[in-house]
Amino acid sequence: MDLQVAEISLGTAVVSPDPSESKLSEIASSLNILGFELIEKDKDKLIERMRNVIIELIHHSESPELHVNFSQALTEQLHKDYSYLSRLFSDSEGITVEKFIIQQKIEKVKELLQYGELNLNEIAWKMGYSSNSHLSNQFKTVTGQSPREFKATEGNKRKPLDKV
């Protein structure tokens, strides 16, 4: 495409010369074929970083329990005011940051239920819920099933993280 890659890192590439609109469209099409998307706007990049911070904290944390103040974590990692981040996320994604966090936590709970290594009390503690009844209520609100019903259902499916 007559572009030189000046720098490349996870999720970012710097090219020269600056691509034209038609080149950007061509790059976007090529990335879509590979299952990726081109993020150009700073606000879109910030929202993607927010999603990644939340997913990292919930799904990839090494901590034995998830007692996290997400607003504080987002503020510290992204160096932006939480009210700004929250408004930006809601406007762009159509749901609040809090609902996105709940959806991610429920997907992690589904994973833990499928593994069958922990009981519901242990999962509630691990995921930062105040009680297993709080977890059960939130699980049912999101999925339409209780954790027990979910676990008993053959072929219960988790959503891919990029579809949550």
Side-chain angles (χ1 to χ4, degrees), residues 6-71:
E7 181 183 327
I8 192 164
S9 63
L10 184 62
T12 307
V14 177
V15 296
S16 62
D18 284 339
S20 65
E21 286 297 318
S22 62
K23 286 266 192 215
L24 283 174
S25 182
E26 192 177 338
I27 292 168
S29 294
S30 297
L31 287 172
N32 283 337
I33 290 169
L34 298 172
F36 296 101
E37 73 178 282
L38 181 63
I39 301 175
E40 300 174 63
K41 299 175 189 163
D42 288 338
K43 287 182 179 180
D44 292 339
K45 290 177 189 175
L46 186 57
I47 290 165
E48 188 62 24
R49 287 180 56 209
M50 289 176 69
R51 294 173 64 86
N52 289 337
V53 166
I54 293 165
I55 289 169
E56 182 68 29
L57 287 169
I58 293 171
H59 296 279
H60 306 294
S61 174
E62 296 298 320
S63 175
E65 59 183 88
L66 186 68
H67 294 280
V68 175
N69 181 327
F70 286 94
S71 59

Side-chain angles (χ1 to χ4, degrees), residues 2 11 26-27 40 43 51 54 73 78-79 85 91 120 124 127 148 154 162:
D2 296 324
E26 192 177 338
I27 292 168
E40 300 174 63
K43 287 182 179 180
R51 294 173 64 86
I54 293 165
L78 302 176
H79 309 291
L85 292 172
D91 291 346
L120 196 58
M127 296 305 298
R148 182 173 297 177
E154 282 297 314
D162 62 337

Side-chain angles (χ1 to χ4, degrees), residues 63-159:
S63 175
E65 59 183 88
L66 186 68
H67 294 280
V68 175
N69 181 327
F70 286 94
S71 59
Q72 183 179 357
L74 287 167
T75 298
E76 288 173 1
Q77 291 193 35
L78 302 176
H79 309 291
K80 303 278 186 203
D81 180 63
Y82 181 73
S83 60
Y84 168 75
L85 292 172
S86 178
R87 218 175 17 261
L88 180 67
F89 191 91
S90 296
D91 291 346
S92 174
E93 301 298 297
I95 63 168
T96 64
V97 174
E98 292 77 13
K99 285 189 179 178
F100 180 75
I101 291 167
I102 290 167
Q103 289 174 347
Q104 291 298 323
K105 287 174 80 172
I106 295 302
E107 288 305 310
K108 182 66 175 184
V109 169
K110 288 179 183 179
E111 176 185 324
L112 295 171
L113 287 168
Q114 286 178 329
Y115 288 157
E117 296 174 359
L118 303 173
N119 65 39
L120 196 58
N121 283 332
E122 293 168 325
I123 292 172
W125 177 80
K126 180 176 178 59
M127 296 305 298
Y129 285 92
S130 58
S131 67
N132 66 350
S133 61
H134 180 214
L135 167 58
S136 294
N137 289 336
Q138 205 166 69
F139 192 94
K140 186 157 187 147
T141 299
V142 172
T143 67
Q145 297 178 300
S146 70
R148 182 173 297 177
E149 290 168 337
F150 174 82
K151 193 170 180 174
T153 304
E154 282 297 314
N156 50 24
K157 299 286 185 209
R158 292 176 38 231
K159 294 179 185 176

